[in-house]
Structures are given as structure tokens and as C-alpha cells.
Amino acid sequence: MRRLISVAALGLTIFLSPNIVLAEGESGAEQLRQFVRNSKTAEGDFKQQQLRAPKANEPQDKGLKVIRQTQGRFVFQRPGRFIWDTQKPYEQKLIADGKQLILWDRDLNQATFRPAGQALAATPAAILFGETSLDQHFELVDGEDRLGMKWVALVPKKNPNAKNGNDLPYTKISVGMVNGLPKALELIDGLGSVVLVTLDKIQLNINLPASRFTFNPPAGAEVLRLN
């Protein structure tokens, strides 16, 4: 499903930040804290994969299987502005301008607008796009080193206003850090579905005019406005 990309995109873009030189032995958790604390702008490439474990009739020795993959470009400006531009295998954009969230589907010639606050409420972006400290909302737990990255688990702290203790749809959120740069985001939901997003060719602290995040649907496009 195409619109599944938006959840991972929202979770991903908040981790990008300035080029901070860190000691080689710096923990992944401390690297991530510095990224969130100092983040401004970033632009680069992404690859997003939806993974699942092999079924009973499939070879079990190859680990998780890629069942869907997309790739494209991202642009980010803290707080609350980003573009998640999927280019392959189809063209679709997710745009946040600080006030609203816009999903543009070129094949459908359709743009969907909704308030950013509501749209982001169930994702890590609702917290991490803001001005507050990451540690106010998550426990940062250093994990194992794998795939050449230092992994950090983000464990949501209990939200007393949420029915189930927290309002995030994930059972596990992890970020892979390499030499002070976020290289991967891993999201796992309650059904065991895994989304892995990897980043490449990141440009940091670039100048981004506010108009970069403005989107006007082309003439003839279907426009949906959700409250």
C-alpha cells in the first residue's frame, strides 16, 4: 500500500541534523541526543524497505525478506517542515509546511491536506519535530553494533493521557548511527512488520527558503481536505 510510506517518512526525517564531529568512542545514544539538540536542515537520498520473516514454505536461512521497496529524496528543516519525495517505483510526495501535511500522488492526480498536529500525533515526529528534549519523551538505550552501525532504541515513556500508556504505533523504534550521522531508522509494529529506512548522500545545514515547502496542486487535480 502506497500510503504506508508516510508513517516511516514521518519517523525518519526528524533525526537529521548538523555535521557534528564526534569522538569515535561516543555512544550512539549521545550522538542521537546531539543530533536532535542541534538539528537545523538536511537533504539527501533515502531507500525504504518493508520486510517480513520468511513463510513456512520459504527458505529460512536468508533472514527477513524485502516485500516492498521505494527510494527518493528528502528535505528537512526543523521544526516541522520536510519533503519526502518518493521517485521510484512511483512518484509521490509527502510535504509538511509547519501547519499542514500534504500527500501528493501524481498517478492519481490527487492531493490530500490535513492538519499537521493531528496527522503527526501517532508518530515519533509529533515529539521530535518540536523544541523539547528527546529525553523528555523517550528512554534512549544503546543497543548492539550491527551492520556497521551503533544502534539506539527509543523506548517511549508512559503518557498518562494515553489509553495504552503511550500513543505510538510501534513496539520498537531504533536508529543506526555511524560517525555522528544517522544512517538508518528501523520501525517494528505490533504485528512484527519491519520498515527499514537507510540514508545516503546527506547534505547538512543547507539554506532552505520557506517557499521550498510550499505546494500548490496543479490545475485539474483532485483536492481532499481532511479535518
Side-chain angles (χ1 to χ4, degrees):
M1 297 295 179
R2 289 189 178 184
R3 280 149 189 82
L4 289 176
I5 69 164
S6 60
V7 175
L10 295 174
L12 167 70
T13 53
I14 43 81
F15 295 112
L16 305 177
S17 65
N19 191 5
I20 303 171
V21 178
L22 298 172
E24 185 175 345
E26 194 83 47
S27 72
E30 185 55 35
Q31 291 183 40
L32 182 55
R33 287 188 182 97
Q34 292 193 41
F35 272 109
V36 175
R37 185 164 56 241
N38 298 292
S39 59
K40 294 181 181 178
T41 65
E43 184 172 5
D45 295 342
F46 74 84
K47 181 195 303 184
Q48 180 173 315
Q49 297 175 313
Q50 185 173 351
L51 312 171
R52 67 164 173 80
K55 296 181 179 179
N57 60 346
E58 295 176 335
Q60 300 294 306
D61 59 349
K62 295 185 179 180
L64 296 174
K65 181 178 180 180
V66 178
I67 59 174
R68 186 174 296 111
Q69 178 172 300
T70 59
Q71 62 188 70
R73 296 279 296 173
F74 66 83
V75 184
F76 160 73
Q77 184 179 61
R78 189 177 182 87
R81 291 189 175 119
F82 70 87
I83 301 172
W84 189 257
D85 185 4
T86 299
Q87 299 171 351
K88 295 179 180 181
Y90 47 80
E91 295 185 35
Q92 187 182 78
K93 287 186 179 181
L94 188 67
I95 305 159
D97 63 7
K99 296 180 179 179
Q100 58 190 349
L101 190 69
I102 308 157
L103 178 64
W104 164 246
D105 191 310
R106 180 171 181 175
D107 289 347
L108 297 178
N109 197 28
Q110 181 185 84
T112 303
F113 292 74
R114 65 187 69 198
Q118 295 180 16
L120 300 178
T123 74
I127 296 171
L128 302 178
F129 269 134
E131 301 286 348
T132 56
S133 169
L134 186 66
D135 291 283
Q136 289 183 337
H137 303 284
F138 293 96
E139 296 286 349
L140 271 59
V141 181
D142 282 304
E144 61 180 341
D145 291 1
R146 56 186 171 91
L147 302 176
M149 291 176 273
K150 292 187 175 184
W151 287 87
V152 186
L154 276 65
V155 182
K157 294 182 177 179
K158 289 186 177 180
N159 180 353
N161 298 319
K163 295 180 180 180
N164 297 317
N166 68 75
D167 54 6
L168 295 173
Y170 312 112
T171 59
K172 185 177 180 181
I173 306 169
S174 300
V175 182
M177 307 293 296
V178 179
N179 295 329
L181 289 173
K183 289 295 185 179
L185 174 71
E186 185 178 73
L187 304 171
I188 303 176
D189 65 20
L191 300 176
S193 177
V194 179
V195 173
L196 178 65
V197 185
T198 54
L199 310 178
D200 194 18
K201 299 180 181 178
I202 302 173
Q203 301 177 58
L204 302 169
N205 287 331
I206 56 177
N207 292 323
L208 295 174
S211 60
R212 180 78 180 267
F213 302 93
T214 300
F215 177 79
N216 296 310
E222 179 183 10
V223 177
L224 304 177
R225 298 188 182 275
L226 308 179
N227 298 321

